Amino acid sequence: MIFWILFTNFIAEAFACGYPGSPSHSTVTFNTDTVQTGTVATYRCEPGFDLLGPIRRLCVENGTWIPVGIPVCVMNVAAGKAAMQSSISSKGVPQKAVDGTTSRNYGADTCTLTDVEDTPWWYVNLLEPFLVQLVRVDFGRSCCANNLQATVIVRVGNSRPDLSANPICNRFTGKIEEGRPLFFPCTSTVTGAFVSVHVETPTPSSLSICEAFVYTDQVVPVDQCPEFDQESSTVATYNGKCYLFYPNKPRTLDSAAKFCALNGGSLIHDSSPALQGFLSWELYKRHRKSPGSDYWNGVLRKTGSKGWKWVDGKDVTISFWSRPPTDKNCSRFDGKSGWLWSDTECDNELNYICEHRPVICSKPERPANSTLLMRSTTVGSTIEYQCNPGHLLLGPQSRTCLSTGFFSEFAPKCSYLECGFPANIQNGGYTLLNGTRHYQSVLQYFCQDAYVLVGRAELMCDADRKWDGPPPRCDPLLCHNPPSIPNGNVTVTVNTTVPGTTAQYACENNFKMIGDEIITCDSTGFWTSKPPTCELDKEKLYNARVESKHKRNRASIAARLNMGGIIALGIFGGFVFLAVIISIVVIIVRRNSNSQDSLESLSTYDSQGSREKLYNRQQYWPPGHPGNLHPPPVLPQRLEDHPEQRKDRTDRHRDPSASAQYHKHQKHHGNHRESDVSLETGPSTSRWCNKHDKRGGY
């Protein structure tokens, strides 16, 4: 049920009718307090203006107003103005087209008529340039014979001698029927004081107009002019100025000028053919039955000169004298001379005309689907326009009420704009914040969990019916690297800090951790908590100091024990070393004793034994060997066999000098033995023996 109510409200808001729009110089009323389906808007124009278009409009279900089109409030500025035509037939004078009476049938009393001619025409002099918006022509007699089509052309401009040179407002080609009105909205902005109607036909024809209307909303109505209770007056406007006519209480020229100035105006102080025509026409309308009334026109003779000046001191450059002036010093509008100028005495009491500027501007135009912010319409005030959501303001946002009684510039328009559907993005989506895609609607992009939005999150529908930027993208969400901490370190489980990554903190020795040891990267791209801090652990430091002291004590005791062991080991090593020395001495002594015994055994060796060995070797030489050439020598008896020699050897051991003499003697005999062997065996035998001695150790 709640969803249905919200949906119904959304549909009602989306398809609700906006402001229907209203023209200038108008008022719009509604039959309901709020604009909704079924609301009726009723239009009403200010006094002096005619409503052209639908009087009522209805708000329908699709959010539009029917019938389509905003009416306009315009004023017919051709009524009562001077008119001319190409020719006159059957008393069909041109003034009958602007006399304010019309008929659906031709009548000689109410319609104009020209002779039959090639291109008949008719025009009206508006006396001042107007921004013409629409021309309506109520034709009298039909045209043309044999059901031929005619072309009607409406022109607006400021050229009277050559009307065909003025710009074209609009044209119509078709059959002209009696009493049938034709409307000619100007297709472009045309301004002029002369509006003409031209008829072009295949054959000569006449032109008959029962009434012509020239409409514009650029006119100052009389209710914008100042009002004074002191004097009764009538008001007319011309070219953005107000002219107050005072016909009942005549004054002298000086008194009339002071009265106008006291009320913020002045006597007339300018002239032109258009202004002269306007004033003559207004005076004629007011004094048709009493043409003898005269009015001051604000012209004075210059002192000591025949020239003339205005009451504000400016020279008169354009004059409209009915006859040459005499020697009188002031001037007046002479009713007996068609309201042209005549000179008069300045002390005469005459009627007068005060010229004023408008004090307010008329109610401004308000475009459809807009809001108008307006506190006042007095001269100098400012109004502002705002368009409804989804509409673009085309034109000025503000306008100022000028001294001419018009607002500056033209009213803006509110144009409805809508953008296309926005682009989709991967790993994300978008939301239409106000549920619409029209102008200035806001679009918001978002990403799924564990993704971050890169680019503009919000886009707006712009005046070019496009979103005002490219769509963003969704990238994987990463946390910043975990912050480092003093007196500690941090370790991350993986290389990247994607959601779910953990960071583990650890403190250095003698520091304790305050906070969470492990923090995690969450789906928003932030760590789940702040990093911990490492503070000095006083209790642990105290325990460490006590433990260090205990270690030093244990080390001291161990050092003393080690020193005792070292001393004991040194003593033991000394004993071992001494034992080794003693053992070495004993071994040396024993070796010396064995050496003496060996020397004694070797001393028993003599040449007889050596020769026996040599002889024994020669017995094994092969036949023909050089060693066999000589017979074996006769070996002497071994020395060991003589007791005297053993006795001598014993004595030599006891007497060192004798022993040395003995060894020298033995060496000498050894040399002789070698020589003897060499002589007996020859060179070959000597070489062989030497080698054999070396190998055998002899």
Side-chain angles (χ1 to χ4, degrees), residues 105-135:
N105 298 309
Y106 171 77
D109 296 335
T110 58
C111 301
T112 68
L113 182 62
T114 66
D115 294 333
V116 176
E117 49 189 317
D118 290 337
T119 308
W121 52 264
W122 173 94
Y123 81 85
V124 60
N125 182 1
L126 303 178
L127 302 179
E128 63 174 304
F130 284 101
L131 177 63
V132 178
Q133 296 164 299
L134 176 69
V135 176

Side-chain angles (χ1 to χ4, degrees), residues 208-526:
S208 176
I209 300 176
C210 293
E211 195 70 24
F213 304 86
V214 179
Y215 291 112
T216 180
D217 62 355
Q218 298 296 306
V219 61
V220 177
V222 295
D223 57 359
Q224 294 179 222
C225 298
E227 296 180 358
F228 308 105
D229 297 334
Q230 295 90 338
E231 300 284 347
S232 60
S233 63
T234 58
V235 184
T237 60
Y238 169 79
N239 199 23
K241 295 179 181 179
C242 299
Y243 293 90
L244 278 65
F245 295 82
Y246 294 92
N248 298 325
K249 291 186 177 181
R251 295 173 179 268
T252 63
L253 179 65
D254 185 61
S255 176
K258 290 180 179 179
F259 175 81
C260 291
L262 183 64
N263 292 285
S266 65
L267 289 176
I268 295 174
H269 53 276
D270 195 8
S271 66
S272 67
L275 178 59
Q276 178 64 31
F278 163 75
L279 294 174
S280 298
W281 175 251
E282 291 296 328
L283 291 172
Y284 168 77
K285 291 191 300 182
R286 286 167 173 77
H287 297 281
R288 290 179 182 178
K289 297 181 179 180
S290 56
S293 299
D294 296 335
Y295 285 77
W296 293 113
N297 63 6
V299 176
L300 301 172
R301 187 186 296 274
K302 293 182 179 180
T303 303
S305 173
K306 293 183 179 181
W308 297 86
K309 65 178 181 179
W310 295 101
V311 291
D312 61 356
K314 295 186 299 183
D315 291 340
V316 175
T317 56
I318 300 176
S319 59
F320 298 93
W321 297 102
S322 60
R323 55 182 180 271
T326 60
D327 56 352
K328 298 176 182 178
N329 295 325
C330 291
S331 175
R332 58 188 170 88
F333 290 109
D334 190 352
K336 295 180 180 179
S337 301
W339 305 105
L340 296 177
W341 297 3
S342 297
D343 60 347
T344 185
E345 296 294 341
C346 297
D347 294 336
N348 292 337
E349 291 185 349
L350 303 176
N351 298 323
Y352 51 95
I353 304 170
C354 291
E355 179 182 306
H356 292 267
R357 286 287 185 178
V359 293
I360 61 172
C361 288
S362 61
K363 194 170 183 179
E365 178 182 355
R366 179 179 173 183
N369 301 299
S370 71
T371 300
L372 178 61
L373 304 178
M374 179 176 61
R375 294 186 178 90
S376 172
T377 58
T378 57
V379 173
S381 62
T382 301
I383 60 174
E384 294 184 0
Y385 292 91
Q386 294 179 355
C387 289
N388 292 352
H391 294 77
L392 174 65
L393 185 70
L394 301 177
Q397 184 176 3
S398 62
R399 302 171 69 193
T400 302
C401 178
L402 305 177
S403 59
T404 58
F406 300 104
F407 281 97
S408 60
E409 304 182 80
F410 291 103
K413 293 183 179 180
C414 292
S415 177
Y416 180 76
L417 303 176
E418 188 174 66
C419 290
F421 287 97
N424 294 317
I425 59 174
Q426 292 184 350
N427 304 311
Y430 64 84
T431 301
L432 297 173
L433 296 185
N434 51 359
T436 61
R437 294 180 289 108
H438 56 57
Y439 176 63
Q440 291 187 336
S441 294
V442 178
L443 160 72
Q444 187 175 57
Y445 281 95
F446 61 87
C447 290
Q448 299 173 0
D449 291 341
Y451 288 88
V452 62
L453 192 72
V454 178
R456 290 178 54 192
E458 292 187 356
L459 301 179
M460 180 180 292
C461 180
D462 213 340
D464 58 356
R465 293 183 173 88
K466 296 180 181 179
W467 300 101
D468 64 346
R473 68 177 188 272
C474 292
D475 289 348
L477 186 63
L478 300 177
C479 291
H480 293 291
N481 291 329
S484 59
I485 59 174
N487 306 311
N489 55 72
V490 59
T491 303
V492 183
T493 55
V494 293
N495 293 332
T496 59
T497 54
V498 297
T501 301
T502 59
Q504 185 172 8
Y505 286 87
C507 292
E508 297 176 355
N509 292 333
N510 300 327
F511 288 87
K512 62 180 179 179
M513 185 177 296
I514 306 298
D516 296 333
E517 179 183 359
I518 297 176
I519 60 176
T520 304
C521 176
D522 61 16
S523 60
T524 62
F526 294 95

Side-chain angles (χ1 to χ4, degrees), residues 409-641:
E409 304 182 80
F410 291 103
K413 293 183 179 180
C414 292
S415 177
Y416 180 76
L417 303 176
E418 188 174 66
C419 290
F421 287 97
N424 294 317
I425 59 174
Q426 292 184 350
N427 304 311
Y430 64 84
T431 301
L432 297 173
L433 296 185
N434 51 359
T436 61
R437 294 180 289 108
H438 56 57
Y439 176 63
Q440 291 187 336
S441 294
V442 178
L443 160 72
Q444 187 175 57
Y445 281 95
F446 61 87
C447 290
Q448 299 173 0
D449 291 341
Y451 288 88
V452 62
L453 192 72
V454 178
R456 290 178 54 192
E458 292 187 356
L459 301 179
M460 180 180 292
C461 180
D462 213 340
D464 58 356
R465 293 183 173 88
K466 296 180 181 179
W467 300 101
D468 64 346
R473 68 177 188 272
C474 292
D475 289 348
L477 186 63
L478 300 177
C479 291
H480 293 291
N481 291 329
S484 59
I485 59 174
N487 306 311
N489 55 72
V490 59
T491 303
V492 183
T493 55
V494 293
N495 293 332
T496 59
T497 54
V498 297
T501 301
T502 59
Q504 185 172 8
Y505 286 87
C507 292
E508 297 176 355
N509 292 333
N510 300 327
F511 288 87
K512 62 180 179 179
M513 185 177 296
I514 306 298
D516 296 333
E517 179 183 359
I518 297 176
I519 60 176
T520 304
C521 176
D522 61 16
S523 60
T524 62
F526 294 95
W527 298 99
T528 53
S529 62
K530 293 182 179 180
T533 58
C534 292
E535 296 182 358
L536 186 64
D537 192 345
K538 297 181 180 180
E539 182 179 357
K540 186 176 181 180
L541 182 61
Y542 173 78
N543 294 334
R545 290 178 179 176
V546 172
E547 181 65 23
S548 177
K549 184 176 180 180
H550 291 169
K551 287 183 179 180
R552 288 196 301 271
N553 293 336
R554 288 194 295 270
S556 177
I557 295 172
R560 289 195 295 270
L561 293 176
N562 291 338
M563 182 59 68
I566 291 172
I567 294 173
L569 183 61
I571 295 173
F572 175 75
F575 282 111
V576 172
F577 178 75
L578 182 59
V580 171
I581 295 300
I582 295 172
S583 299
I584 293 173
V585 171
V586 171
I587 293 171
I588 292 173
V589 171
R590 289 181 178 179
R591 283 185 177 180
N592 290 335
S593 177
N594 293 333
S595 298
Q596 291 296 330
D597 294 339
S598 298
L599 289 175
E600 290 179 359
S601 61
L602 288 174
S603 64
T604 61
Y605 176 80
D606 54 10
S607 60
Q608 182 66 32
S610 300
R611 290 178 181 178
E612 289 178 356
K613 292 179 180 179
L614 179 60
Y615 175 76
N616 291 333
R617 292 190 191 103
Q618 290 177 352
Q619 289 180 352
Y620 295 98
W621 288 343
H625 191 277
N628 294 331
L629 297 178
H630 301 281
V634 179
L635 299 175
Q637 187 178 359
R638 296 180 59 179
L639 295 178
E640 290 82 353
D641 296 335

Side-chain angles (χ1 to χ4, degrees), residues 50-64:
D50 298 327
L51 182 69
L52 299 182
I55 298 176
R56 295 178 181 85
R57 301 176 70 197
L58 175 66
C59 175
V60 294
E61 293 181 354
N62 62 356
T64 61

